[in-house]
Structures are given as structure tokens and as C-alpha cells.
Amino acid sequence: MLEIPDRFQNILRAHLPYAEAGGLTARDELSALGLDSMGVVRLLVDIENGYAVELPDEILDEATFATVGSLWRALSTLMTTGSDSSRSF
């Protein structure tokens, strides 16, 4: 099972009004936890600032924001590929 880092969970929690205490799992649906379209915009800013990356437009779709795991996979892939769109840490 995909492990979701605490740092990422902490960023997410600020945007998930229905998330209960305890760890988030990869299968948790972001919309069911209260993430709406305005929350997505604020979450993007927090992720980009928190991880010093710029998320490319081509990954900003419903599939990426479906679950905690799908969003983490997109972010971690971006960080490990050293994409031109990511800034140095």
C-alpha cells in the first residue's frame, strides 16, 4: 500500500474539512473529505510552496485530485523525475 508522508498529510488536512483524526490513506477520496474547486486552488499553492515545485498544467485534472494517493503519486513522480518545471530545493 502506498504510504502518504506526514508532511504531505499536514498540507492536505488544512483543505479537508471532513477529514477525521488519524492518518489519511491513499484511497481516501478528496471530494468526500470536503475538497472543492476553490480548495483545489488553495491546495495547489500550498503544495507548490511546501515542496518548492510547480505543478504542470497537464497533471491538473480530475484523476490527479481524485484521491490522496493519486495526488501524492503525481507530486512524488514530479519530484523524482527532476522535471524542468520543478525548482531546486
mmCIF file of all heavy atoms in Angstrom, residues 21-44:
data_model
loop_
_atom_site.group_PDB
_atom_site.id
_atom_site.type_symbol
_atom_site.label_atom_id
_atom_site.label_comp_id
_atom_site.label_asym_id
_atom_site.label_seq_id
_atom_site.Cartn_x
_atom_site.Cartn_y
_atom_site.Cartn_z
ATOM 1 N N ALA A 21 -9.545 12.613 12.550
ATOM 2 C CA ALA A 21 -8.218 12.474 13.153
ATOM 3 C C ALA A 21 -7.605 11.154 12.711
ATOM 4 O O ALA A 21 -8.310 10.201 12.385
ATOM 5 C CB ALA A 21 -8.326 12.536 14.665
ATOM 6 N N GLY A 22 -6.306 11.093 12.703
ATOM 7 C CA GLY A 22 -5.607 9.891 12.267
ATOM 8 C C GLY A 22 -5.056 10.087 10.870
ATOM 9 O O GLY A 22 -5.279 11.112 10.236
ATOM 10 N N GLY A 23 -4.335 9.105 10.422
ATOM 11 C CA GLY A 23 -3.673 9.199 9.131
ATOM 12 C C GLY A 23 -4.628 9.100 7.960
ATOM 13 O O GLY A 23 -5.641 8.405 8.018
ATOM 14 N N LEU A 24 -4.276 9.813 6.918
ATOM 15 C CA LEU A 24 -5.010 9.703 5.660
ATOM 16 C C LEU A 24 -4.456 8.506 4.898
ATOM 17 O O LEU A 24 -3.270 8.198 4.993
ATOM 18 C CB LEU A 24 -4.818 10.971 4.828
ATOM 19 C CG LEU A 24 -5.356 12.263 5.425
ATOM 20 C CD1 LEU A 24 -4.889 13.467 4.618
ATOM 21 C CD2 LEU A 24 -6.867 12.226 5.501
ATOM 22 N N THR A 25 -5.309 7.832 4.157
ATOM 23 C CA THR A 25 -4.858 6.702 3.345
ATOM 24 C C THR A 25 -4.886 7.080 1.874
ATOM 25 O O THR A 25 -5.570 8.028 1.473
ATOM 26 C CB THR A 25 -5.741 5.457 3.556
ATOM 27 O OG1 THR A 25 -7.028 5.691 2.962
ATOM 28 C CG2 THR A 25 -5.881 5.113 5.031
ATOM 29 N N ALA A 26 -4.168 6.326 1.080
ATOM 30 C CA ALA A 26 -4.103 6.579 -0.359
ATOM 31 C C ALA A 26 -5.483 6.493 -1.008
ATOM 32 O O ALA A 26 -5.747 7.175 -2.000
ATOM 33 C CB ALA A 26 -3.145 5.593 -1.018
ATOM 34 N N ARG A 27 -6.364 5.696 -0.440
ATOM 35 C CA ARG A 27 -7.701 5.504 -1.034
ATOM 36 C C ARG A 27 -8.710 6.584 -0.652
ATOM 37 O O ARG A 27 -9.804 6.632 -1.205
ATOM 38 C CB ARG A 27 -8.239 4.145 -0.636
ATOM 39 C CG ARG A 27 -7.511 3.018 -1.292
ATOM 40 C CD ARG A 27 -8.249 1.725 -1.071
ATOM 41 N NE ARG A 27 -7.626 0.668 -1.837
ATOM 42 C CZ ARG A 27 -7.225 -0.475 -1.338
ATOM 43 N NH1 ARG A 27 -7.395 -0.723 -0.056
ATOM 44 N NH2 ARG A 27 -6.667 -1.387 -2.104
ATOM 45 N N ASP A 28 -8.389 7.421 0.306
ATOM 46 C CA ASP A 28 -9.329 8.461 0.731
ATOM 47 C C ASP A 28 -9.643 9.407 -0.432
ATOM 48 O O ASP A 28 -8.733 9.945 -1.068
ATOM 49 C CB ASP A 28 -8.764 9.267 1.902
ATOM 50 C CG ASP A 28 -8.732 8.485 3.206
ATOM 51 O OD1 ASP A 28 -9.526 7.540 3.354
ATOM 52 O OD2 ASP A 28 -7.902 8.829 4.068
ATOM 53 N N GLU A 29 -10.932 9.579 -0.692
ATOM 54 C CA GLU A 29 -11.370 10.457 -1.778
ATOM 55 C C GLU A 29 -11.362 11.905 -1.308
ATOM 56 O O GLU A 29 -11.965 12.245 -0.290
ATOM 57 C CB GLU A 29 -12.755 10.059 -2.256
ATOM 58 C CG GLU A 29 -12.780 8.695 -2.910
ATOM 59 C CD GLU A 29 -14.153 8.323 -3.419
ATOM 60 O OE1 GLU A 29 -15.050 9.199 -3.482
ATOM 61 O OE2 GLU A 29 -14.331 7.148 -3.755
ATOM 62 N N LEU A 30 -10.680 12.747 -2.060
ATOM 63 C CA LEU A 30 -10.537 14.145 -1.659
ATOM 64 C C LEU A 30 -11.873 14.879 -1.632
ATOM 65 O O LEU A 30 -12.129 15.659 -0.722
ATOM 66 C CB LEU A 30 -9.534 14.850 -2.574
ATOM 67 C CG LEU A 30 -8.090 14.333 -2.446
ATOM 68 C CD1 LEU A 30 -7.205 14.935 -3.522
ATOM 69 C CD2 LEU A 30 -7.542 14.617 -1.063
ATOM 70 N N SER A 31 -12.743 14.624 -2.587
ATOM 71 C CA SER A 31 -14.035 15.322 -2.599
ATOM 72 C C SER A 31 -14.897 14.899 -1.408
ATOM 73 O O SER A 31 -15.597 15.718 -0.817
ATOM 74 C CB SER A 31 -14.784 15.087 -3.909
ATOM 75 O OG SER A 31 -15.071 13.718 -4.084
ATOM 76 N N ALA A 32 -14.819 13.636 -1.012
ATOM 77 C CA ALA A 32 -15.585 13.158 0.139
ATOM 78 C C ALA A 32 -15.076 13.775 1.442
ATOM 79 O O ALA A 32 -15.820 13.876 2.410
ATOM 80 C CB ALA A 32 -15.517 11.635 0.222
ATOM 81 N N LEU A 33 -13.809 14.190 1.447
ATOM 82 C CA LEU A 33 -13.228 14.828 2.623
ATOM 83 C C LEU A 33 -13.429 16.343 2.604
ATOM 84 O O LEU A 33 -12.928 17.045 3.472
ATOM 85 C CB LEU A 33 -11.742 14.480 2.726
ATOM 86 C CG LEU A 33 -11.446 12.999 2.945
ATOM 87 C CD1 LEU A 33 -9.952 12.749 2.898
ATOM 88 C CD2 LEU A 33 -12.033 12.511 4.260
ATOM 89 N N GLY A 34 -14.169 16.836 1.599
ATOM 90 C CA GLY A 34 -14.544 18.246 1.573
ATOM 91 C C GLY A 34 -13.751 19.140 0.647
ATOM 92 O O GLY A 34 -13.933 20.359 0.663
ATOM 93 N N LEU A 35 -12.869 18.567 -0.174
ATOM 94 C CA LEU A 35 -12.103 19.406 -1.104
ATOM 95 C C LEU A 35 -13.002 19.822 -2.256
ATOM 96 O O LEU A 35 -13.557 18.989 -2.961
ATOM 97 C CB LEU A 35 -10.874 18.647 -1.629
ATOM 98 C CG LEU A 35 -9.928 19.474 -2.488
ATOM 99 C CD1 LEU A 35 -9.248 20.564 -1.656
ATOM 100 C CD2 LEU A 35 -8.880 18.590 -3.150
ATOM 101 N N ASP A 36 -13.154 21.135 -2.429
ATOM 102 C CA ASP A 36 -13.956 21.661 -3.528
ATOM 103 C C ASP A 36 -13.043 22.414 -4.502
ATOM 104 O O ASP A 36 -11.829 22.462 -4.309
ATOM 105 C CB ASP A 36 -15.089 22.547 -3.014
ATOM 106 C CG ASP A 36 -14.596 23.740 -2.205
ATOM 107 O OD1 ASP A 36 -13.404 24.121 -2.312
ATOM 108 O OD2 ASP A 36 -15.395 24.307 -1.454
ATOM 109 N N SER A 37 -13.630 23.001 -5.538
ATOM 110 C CA SER A 37 -12.819 23.646 -6.572
ATOM 111 C C SER A 37 -11.989 24.812 -6.036
ATOM 112 O O SER A 37 -10.829 24.984 -6.429
ATOM 113 C CB SER A 37 -13.689 24.109 -7.738
ATOM 114 O OG SER A 37 -14.693 24.987 -7.284
ATOM 115 N N MET A 38 -12.533 25.585 -5.117
ATOM 116 C CA MET A 38 -11.749 26.672 -4.528
ATOM 117 C C MET A 38 -10.651 26.102 -3.633
ATOM 118 O O MET A 38 -9.540 26.636 -3.590
ATOM 119 C CB MET A 38 -12.644 27.618 -3.731
ATOM 120 C CG MET A 38 -13.559 28.464 -4.601
ATOM 121 S SD MET A 38 -12.664 29.445 -5.825
ATOM 122 C CE MET A 38 -11.758 30.544 -4.769
ATOM 123 N N GLY A 39 -10.941 25.025 -2.957
ATOM 124 C CA GLY A 39 -9.944 24.365 -2.119
ATOM 125 C C GLY A 39 -8.794 23.810 -2.936
ATOM 126 O O GLY A 39 -7.644 23.832 -2.492
ATOM 127 N N VAL A 40 -9.097 23.325 -4.150
ATOM 128 C CA VAL A 40 -8.049 22.807 -5.029
ATOM 129 C C VAL A 40 -7.041 23.906 -5.351
ATOM 130 O O VAL A 40 -5.831 23.691 -5.297
ATOM 131 C CB VAL A 40 -8.645 22.217 -6.333
ATOM 132 C CG1 VAL A 40 -7.562 21.989 -7.380
ATOM 133 C CG2 VAL A 40 -9.388 20.927 -6.043
ATOM 134 N N VAL A 41 -7.539 25.093 -5.650
ATOM 135 C CA VAL A 41 -6.649 26.209 -5.983
ATOM 136 C C VAL A 41 -5.747 26.546 -4.799
ATOM 137 O O VAL A 41 -4.525 26.692 -4.954
ATOM 138 C CB VAL A 41 -7.469 27.439 -6.426
ATOM 139 C CG1 VAL A 41 -6.579 28.657 -6.624
ATOM 140 C CG2 VAL A 41 -8.254 27.134 -7.694
ATOM 141 N N ARG A 42 -6.331 26.633 -3.617
ATOM 142 C CA ARG A 42 -5.526 26.939 -2.421
ATOM 143 C C ARG A 42 -4.548 25.800 -2.101
ATOM 144 O O ARG A 42 -3.404 26.044 -1.705
ATOM 145 C CB ARG A 42 -6.441 27.224 -1.237
ATOM 146 C CG ARG A 42 -7.221 28.533 -1.391
ATOM 147 C CD ARG A 42 -8.001 28.889 -0.139
ATOM 148 N NE ARG A 42 -9.061 27.936 0.171
ATOM 149 C CZ ARG A 42 -10.323 28.043 -0.229
ATOM 150 N NH1 ARG A 42 -10.704 29.082 -0.945
ATOM 151 N NH2 ARG A 42 -11.219 27.138 0.119
ATOM 152 N N LEU A 43 -5.003 24.571 -2.293
ATOM 153 C CA LEU A 43 -4.139 23.419 -2.061
ATOM 154 C C LEU A 43 -2.948 23.424 -3.011
ATOM 155 O O LEU A 43 -1.820 23.150 -2.605
ATOM 156 C CB LEU A 43 -4.944 22.117 -2.208
ATOM 157 C CG LEU A 43 -4.166 20.806 -2.095
ATOM 158 C CD1 LEU A 43 -3.415 20.714 -0.776
ATOM 159 C CD2 LEU A 43 -5.111 19.628 -2.284
ATOM 160 N N LEU A 44 -3.187 23.748 -4.265
ATOM 161 C CA LEU A 44 -2.092 23.819 -5.240
ATOM 162 C C LEU A 44 -1.015 24.791 -4.794
ATOM 163 O O LEU A 44 0.179 24.490 -4.860
ATOM 164 C CB LEU A 44 -2.618 24.242 -6.610
ATOM 165 C CG LEU A 44 -3.299 23.182 -7.435
ATOM 166 C CD1 LEU A 44 -3.915 23.791 -8.682
ATOM 167 C CD2 LEU A 44 -2.327 22.080 -7.801
#
